[in-house]
Amino acid sequence: MKNPLWIVLALLAAIGVKFILPTNPMDTGWDFGHAYSLIRNDKGLFYNDYLHDNATYWYGFLIAPLAAVSSNTYTPKIFYSFLLITLTIILVVRHKKGHLNTGIIILLIANYLILTHRPEVFSVIVGIFAFPFLFKNKRINWPIAIPVGLFLFLVHPANAVILGVALLASKRLLLHRSTLFIFLYVVAITFLIIIILVPTEMFYFTFLKNRILGGNQFANFLQFLKYGGLTLIALAIIKRKIWTKLFALNYLVLFLFTFLFSPHYYYIFLFVPFLVCTHLSWDNLSKLTLVIAISFNVLISIVNPIYVHLEHPKYAEQATQIVNYIDKNAHYAKRAIFIDQHIGFPLYAKSAKAKMMILRDTSHFSLATKPLPGDVAYLTNTGDIKIFENLLKKFNPSCKASPTKIIHPIQGRLTLHSLYKNRTDSLGLYKMTIYENEKKSQTTSF
């Protein structure tokens, strides 16, 4: 595996599976909604049409140059493919040639969490690139660290904080007893206590408080282990020369800090200390864990998407038809359109009328805007229709919603976690027209 051709092949395969389906992952709407709102520039730099009136972080600024030249549904996949290529180049440059380093790169770029459309990949890229310049021996190089930290904080605050903790753990500085570090710890703890105890209507503070107090930390960690556990174990074994008592204590603080913030995708930062250090253990144990971890990552991230596509190609055709319908028929609307992040990209890329509708779990939608008579929602299965109807009763009891089947549903894809015995929800397209409870009001059609 010494030949870089292996890296190129793995990279092409990882990018290729992104384009099998035109649908997009959870947070694509959140991030790209800001980018396209920024391009339209009719409500300020920090306004996100897709989020309605919530201030957004600056990740959309990074996306805006690509968004300015493309509103194609594959634009997010192009952006995150570029990030994956950039990450690969940085890892190749930072690590010497060799079987083990080549394997580590393939292990990482085939990891399921790295391949999701999330800002963490960008933060990891910046962290790995900046690491040699952030420290002088055992001291922080503040003239470099402050602007880099501020930039990352504006791009994505939570990412910046956890990445900073990961980089400090890499240098074994988290338990440093200097006056400055003690002051920073006191400020951080005080800030968290204020968020938890002081009532506020600020969206992100409320969001953070709910994450900390939501009680999902253990479940989210198990979810990370499912997709990234083998990668973490392989990195920890291959880089085990860095394991000292001091490093273990620092790493424990990093883990507890990440655990506190809850979401499974933040655990990507547990990889960082092993990626910025260069010490390797080249023996049979390292080879075995590397082969097992790479095989697992390739199976779930590359082989599985290809298999389920070949087993049921009509699913991708149906998804394409749905996205094309939304693109051609919905963005001329004069009223709000509620749409989920998976099929909504063409809409929020072209119209400020799109409003976010995220399925948080199997029984709850998160809406950023109150539905009103005349608004519509687009949903892809009958189960989501029932969830939306129940949610509408809570948001606006005076309204109901009337569903119309636009595209007849087909069966879902086989799921890997059921060993290809069960399928995902059916995939169709339903238009929900919202009207007043007593009698239908005049609504806007497309």
Side-chain angles (χ1 to χ4, degrees):
M1 248 180 358
K2 195 171 182 178
N3 193 322
L5 177 62
W6 286 103
I7 296 176
V8 174
L9 291 175
L11 184 62
L12 291 176
I15 290 174
V17 296
K18 288 179 177 288
F19 293 86
I20 291 177
L21 282 173
T23 54
N24 286 296
M26 170 77 75
D27 287 331
T28 301
W30 189 296
D31 301 324
F32 277 79
H34 180 215
Y36 286 104
S37 300
L38 178 67
I39 293 169
R40 288 190 283 268
N41 195 28
D42 55 353
K43 297 173 183 175
L45 294 177
F46 305 107
Y47 190 91
N48 189 336
D49 283 321
Y50 198 52
L51 287 172
H52 187 45
D53 59 355
N54 294 315
T56 188
Y57 40 75
W58 286 15
Y59 194 53
F61 282 82
L62 302 176
I63 300 170
L66 177 60
V69 298
S70 176
S71 60
N72 186 281
T73 191
Y74 289 100
T75 301
K77 301 175 189 296
I78 295 171
F79 177 78
Y80 286 102
S81 295
F82 174 76
L83 287 189
L84 187 62
I85 293 169
T86 304
L87 176 62
T88 305
I89 292 173
I90 288 178
L91 290 172
V92 169
V93 171
R94 267 193 61 82
H95 294 80
K96 298 177 181 179
K97 291 183 179 180
H99 297 289
L100 200 55
N101 280 316
T102 299
I104 290 172
I105 295 170
I106 295 174
L107 173 72
L108 199 66
I109 64 177
N111 181 269
Y112 176 87
L113 298 173
I114 295 292
L115 293 175
T116 56
H117 290 196
R118 286 282 313 171
E120 284 73 33
V121 178
F122 174 80
S123 299
V124 168
I125 289 171
V126 175
I128 295 174
F129 176 79
F131 183 75
F133 311 102
L134 294 175
F135 302 95
K136 290 183 178 179
N137 297 321
K138 288 291 184 178
R139 295 182 178 273
I140 299 174
N141 185 8
W142 292 107
I144 300 295
I146 290 176
V148 170
L150 179 61
F151 168 70
L152 284 173
F153 187 83
L154 292 173
V155 170
H156 195 290
N159 274 204
V161 173
I162 301 176
L163 175 64
V165 174
L167 295 175
L168 288 171
S170 303
K171 277 291 185 177
R172 303 163 180 82
L173 292 175
L174 285 179
L175 301 178
H176 206 276
R177 296 183 180 180
S178 69
T179 303
L180 176 60
F181 275 82
I182 293 174
F183 172 75
L184 291 175
Y185 297 151
V186 171
V187 170
I189 293 172
T190 302
F191 179 71
L192 287 175
I193 292 174
I194 290 173
I195 289 177
I196 293 173
L197 297 181
V198 178
T200 177
E201 294 183 359
M202 294 184 65
F203 177 76
Y204 289 106
F205 285 177
T206 303
F207 206 61
L208 179 58
K209 178 179 179 178
N210 291 338
R211 281 182 170 176
I212 294 174
L213 301 179
N216 297 320
Q217 283 83 350
F218 189 68
N220 286 328
F221 177 61
L222 290 180
Q223 188 175 3
F224 161 74
L225 289 180
K226 182 168 65 174
Y227 296 117
L230 281 176
T231 298
L232 184 62
I233 291 171
L235 289 173
I237 290 176
I238 294 168
K239 301 293 184 80
R240 63 184 180 274
K241 287 183 179 180
I242 68 173
W243 283 102
T244 63
K245 182 179 179 180
L246 182 58
F247 175 76
L249 289 173
N250 275 262
Y251 198 77
L252 177 61
V253 173
L254 168 61
F255 169 77
L256 293 175
F257 195 83
T258 309
F259 186 81
L260 177 69
F261 283 89
S262 188
H264 70 279
Y265 37 77
Y266 286 168
Y267 288 97
I268 289 176
F269 295 113
L270 294 182
F271 298 162
V272 170
F274 304 115
L275 298 177
V276 297
C277 88
T278 56
H279 300 291
L280 300 172
S281 296
W282 180 236
D283 56 13
N284 289 334
L285 179 60
S286 295
K287 296 175 187 178
L288 177 63
T289 55
L290 183 61
V291 169
I292 292 173
I294 288 178
S295 300
F296 176 80
N297 285 354
V298 170
L299 171 65
I300 66 170
S301 301
I302 298 174
V303 174
N304 176 63
I306 293 174
Y307 170 73
V308 296
H309 174 70
L310 294 176
E311 188 273 338
H312 186 26
K314 289 185 178 180
Y315 188 91
E317 297 173 11
Q318 180 88 322
T320 301
Q321 184 181 357
I322 290 171
V323 170
N324 288 341
Y325 179 90
I326 296 295
D327 188 16
K328 293 178 181 178
N329 297 282
H331 64 266
Y332 299 108
K334 296 181 180 180
R335 300 297 301 267
I337 306 173
F338 294 90
I339 195 162
D340 71 47
Q341 65 281 6
H342 304 296
I343 63 171
F345 185 85
L347 182 58
Y348 59 75
K350 297 177 181 179
S351 174
K353 301 301 179 182
K355 301 303 174 187
M356 183 170 70
M357 182 172 64
I358 289 183
L359 185 64
R360 290 291 182 189
D361 50 47
T362 57
S363 60
H364 177 70
F365 274 118
S366 176
L367 302 183
T369 308
K370 181 180 179 180
L372 298 172
D375 296 342
V376 299
Y378 283 100
L379 300 161
T380 57
N381 61 74
T382 55
D384 287 354
I385 290 175
K386 294 179 181 178
I387 295 173
F388 184 81
E389 289 174 336
N390 292 333
L391 188 63
L392 185 59
K393 294 178 183 177
K394 297 179 181 179
F395 265 80
N396 197 339
S398 65
C399 288
K400 287 187 175 181
S402 175
T404 302
K405 185 186 297 181
I406 304 296
I407 298 177
H408 190 78
I410 62 169
Q411 66 179 2
R413 295 174 295 170
L414 289 171
T415 58
L416 176 60
H417 65 265
S418 70
L419 300 179
Y420 301 120
K421 294 180 180 179
N422 299 324
R423 294 186 180 271
T424 58
D425 291 334
S426 61
L427 181 67
L429 185 64
Y430 302 85
K431 176 182 172 183
M432 301 283 291
T433 304
I434 300 169
Y435 60 91
E436 292 180 2
N437 199 0
E438 296 299 326
K439 60 179 181 178
K440 292 188 178 182
S441 62
Q442 294 294 324
T443 58
T444 303
S445 59
F446 306 134

